[in-house]
């Protein structure tokens, strides 16, 4: 079976960048809008600030899950249109880019694992954006702080491939390309 679609699909990083930009634009005003409109005082006086914060975190998780699933499906559909997706049940090491992988997942299993890892990384980025929104006095400062933090994390990926940086696992190709161990 032809596995040349895997190079296009697994090395496509533009949709991950779009996910991060959509997270910033969608979540940066979560807390600042309340402060700007005066609703913050009403929420605090009613004693619902903790439940409001938890609801925003839960909705950010749902948003991250939607972005992960949607953009992975769009990327897979684009790879199917351009090159034709074939052999989703084949083992991961049957393609040239993953020939040295120690894993024997199928391509379908790897794509599901990829969605889960992308969701986790996007959720960490979303929590960072929500924190920036919580400490910012207005929406513009929250957006600038979120973009600044995102740029710093992206530049840190060139310096270190640490698993603690969420941008190293948003495109988790490196996680399945070669074997590495993290000692705890």
């Amino acid at each position: 079976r032809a596995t040349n679609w895997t190079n296009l699909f697994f090395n496509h990083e533009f949709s991950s960048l779009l996910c991060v930009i959509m997270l910033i634009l969608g979540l940066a005003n979560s807390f600042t809008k309340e402060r700007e409109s005066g609703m913050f005082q009403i929420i605090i006086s009613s004693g619902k600030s903790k439940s409001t914060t938890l609801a925003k975190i839960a909705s950010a998780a749902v948003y991250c899950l939607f972005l992960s699933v949607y953009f992975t499906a769009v990327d897979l559909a684009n790879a199917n249109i351009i090159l034709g997706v074939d052999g989703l049940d084949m083992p991961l090491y049957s393609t040239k880019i993953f020939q040295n992988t120690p894993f024997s997942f199928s391509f379908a299993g790897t794509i599901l694992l990829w969605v889960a890892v992308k969701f986790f990384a996007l959720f960490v980025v979303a929590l960072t954006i929500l924190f920036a929104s919580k400490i910012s006095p207005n929406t513009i400062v929250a957006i600038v702080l979120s973009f600044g933090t995102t740029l710093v994390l992206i530049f840190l990926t060139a310096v270190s491939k640490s698993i603690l940086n969420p941008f190293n696992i948003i495109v988790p190709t490196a996680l399945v390309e070669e074997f590495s161990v993290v000692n705890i």
Side-chain angles (χ1 to χ4, degrees), residues 5 10 87-90 92 105-114:
W5 64 271
F10 286 108
L88 285 173
D89 58 339
M90 292 176 59
L92 189 62
F105 306 135
S106 66
F107 289 122
T110 305
I111 291 170
L112 291 177
L113 177 68
W114 191 343

Side-chain angles (χ1 to χ4, degrees), residues 29 31 33 46 64 83 87 91 99-100 109 113-114 120 128-129 133 139 157 160 166 169 171 181:
N29 65 355
F31 292 103
K33 275 292 192 198
S46 68
C64 291
L83 295 173
Q99 67 186 359
N100 296 326
L113 177 68
W114 191 343
F120 176 72
T128 306
I129 294 167
S133 177
T139 304
T157 60
S160 170
I169 59 174
V171 182
V181 176

Side-chain angles (χ1 to χ4, degrees), residues 106-171:
S106 66
F107 289 122
T110 305
I111 291 170
L112 291 177
L113 177 68
W114 191 343
V115 169
V117 169
K118 186 183 273 192
F119 162 73
F120 176 72
L122 287 177
F123 186 62
V124 170
V125 172
L127 289 176
T128 306
I129 294 167
L130 287 175
F131 178 73
S133 177
K134 184 83 169 167
I135 64 171
S136 299
N138 60 29
T139 304
I140 299 297
V141 173
I143 290 174
V144 169
L145 191 61
S146 298
F147 270 115
T149 305
T150 301
L151 285 175
V152 167
L153 289 173
I154 289 172
F155 286 129
L156 285 177
T157 60
V159 176
S160 170
K161 296 293 181 193
S162 170
I163 198 166
L164 298 176
N165 186 348
F167 285 96
N168 286 331
I169 59 174
I170 281 183
V171 182

Side-chain angles (χ1 to χ4, degrees), residues 9-66:
F9 177 76
F10 286 108
N11 289 321
H12 183 67
E13 298 177 5
F14 184 69
S15 63
S16 298
L17 180 65
L18 286 177
C19 288
V20 172
I21 291 171
M22 290 179 72
L23 277 177
I24 292 172
L25 295 177
L27 299 176
N29 65 355
S30 295
F31 292 103
T32 57
K33 275 292 192 198
E34 293 173 355
R35 206 171 295 115
E36 290 172 353
S37 67
M39 289 298 293
F40 183 68
Q41 296 298 327
I42 295 172
I43 292 172
I44 286 181
S45 65
S46 68
K48 301 287 185 185
S49 62
K50 185 176 181 179
S51 63
T52 302
T53 302
L54 291 176
K56 289 181 183 188
I57 291 172
S59 65
V62 170
Y63 187 46
C64 291
L65 182 65
F66 171 75

